[in-house]
Amino acid sequence: MRNVVVRNIKRADAAAIATFEKLGASTVHEALGRYQLMKPYIRPIWSGATIAGPAVTILAQPGDNWMLHVAIEQCQPGDIVVLGCTADNTDGMIGDLIATSLKARGVKGVIIDAGCRDVATLKEMGFPIWSKAISSKGTVKATLGSVNIPVVCAGVYVEPGDAVVADDDGVVVVPKKYVTETAAKAQKRFDDEDAKRQKLASGVLGLDMYNMREPLAKAGLVYVDNPEDV
């Protein structure tokens, strides 16, 4: 395989991305049909951030962050960098210096299937990163990878420009061709859940709201009044 940098990529619809950012990863994941969720070992290095944006992808060698520097030039405001490795790795491939450069380009955050360091500084900067590990171990700049080619990151196939949604619940990737319909489904789901939330807050039980009593009885669930009746 050639080591390449693809300069021009098609980015997911901006309106759909704005909807994803408002609704969050769990709602989008459900709307997408419960797939494209990265493995749960990918965690935010600090809590509270919710981001969505088109992916600028990197295929990197383990312990080598050379291609991260290469990718920065290809980033546009609102992008999210997604880095997959050719082999399992937890080295601290990104820290505050690279993040400073990415932030200057308007990048919203980074998803990296490897390690991250300088966590305290990154939190002060308000720059969110979802990583496999936190590690002080340094990296080299010795072996080429590629930028803006399809990659696998934490078990999910990601194409350049796909919509990435990340928050405290995890990271979801919506393929470009599905972003519009997924955004509509996610908004509908959110609206439906908001109505249910109001009912539950008023004291209505989920047993009744979801009409669970009859199927529970058919399944064999029996209520008794006293322990001796068991």
Side-chain angles (χ1 to χ4, degrees):
M1 184 184 72
R2 290 195 303 164
N3 301 112
V4 299
V5 176
V6 179
R7 293 193 178 99
N8 300 309
I9 63 172
K10 181 180 179 182
R11 288 168 166 83
D13 178 72
I17 285 173
T19 299
F20 295 153
E21 190 163 46
K22 178 180 66 174
L23 301 181
S26 291
T27 298
V28 173
H29 177 235
E30 293 284 352
L32 189 58
R34 297 185 179 179
Y35 86 112
Q36 289 291 100
L37 177 67
M38 289 191 183
K39 293 181 179 179
Y41 64 68
I42 295 288
R43 298 299 304 151
I45 62 168
W46 51 268
S47 62
T50 300
I51 62 172
V56 168
T57 61
I58 302 171
L59 181 64
Q61 307 299 333
D64 192 315
N65 70 355
W66 208 3
M67 300 313 292
L68 258 168
H69 290 273
V70 172
I72 293 171
E73 185 180 27
Q74 306 307 316
C75 292
Q76 296 181 7
D79 285 345
I80 295 175
V81 169
V82 178
L83 185 147
C85 276
T86 59
D88 183 64
N89 187 248
T90 58
D91 295 352
M93 293 178 64
I94 184 170
D96 69 296
L97 292 180
I98 291 177
T100 298
S101 186
L102 287 166
K103 192 173 182 179
R105 300 285 292 191
V107 172
K108 287 184 175 179
V110 173
I111 318 297
I112 180 169
D113 199 358
C116 172
R117 61 184 189 175
D118 303 328
V119 173
T121 304
L122 289 165
K123 184 176 181 180
E124 290 175 4
M125 290 170 57
F127 190 81
I129 294 177
W130 284 254
S131 71
K132 182 177 186 176
I134 294 172
S135 175
S136 293
K137 187 174 181 180
T139 55
V140 299
K141 298 166 183 63
T143 309
L144 292 178
S146 293
V147 175
N148 281 331
I149 67 166
V151 301
V152 174
C153 182
V156 170
Y157 178 80
V158 188
E159 292 191 355
D162 283 350
V164 180
V165 190
D167 58 21
D168 286 346
D169 288 347
V171 181
V172 178
V173 179
V174 183
K176 291 188 292 291
K177 62 182 177 180
Y178 297 132
V179 294
T180 301
E181 64 180 90
T182 302
K185 290 178 180 178
Q187 185 64 61
K188 183 179 185 303
R189 182 180 180 85
F190 177 85
D191 294 340
D192 291 345
E193 286 188 344
D194 193 51
K196 292 174 182 176
R197 191 175 296 109
Q198 293 180 38
K199 288 183 180 180
L200 293 169
S202 73
V204 174
L205 294 174
L207 285 170
D208 298 312
M209 186 174 70
Y210 294 111
N211 298 313
M212 293 180 178
R213 296 189 186 277
E214 184 178 347
L216 284 168
K218 286 183 177 179
L221 184 67
V222 176
Y223 289 83
V224 298
D225 293 325
N226 302 297
E228 58 267 23
D229 296 330
V230 174

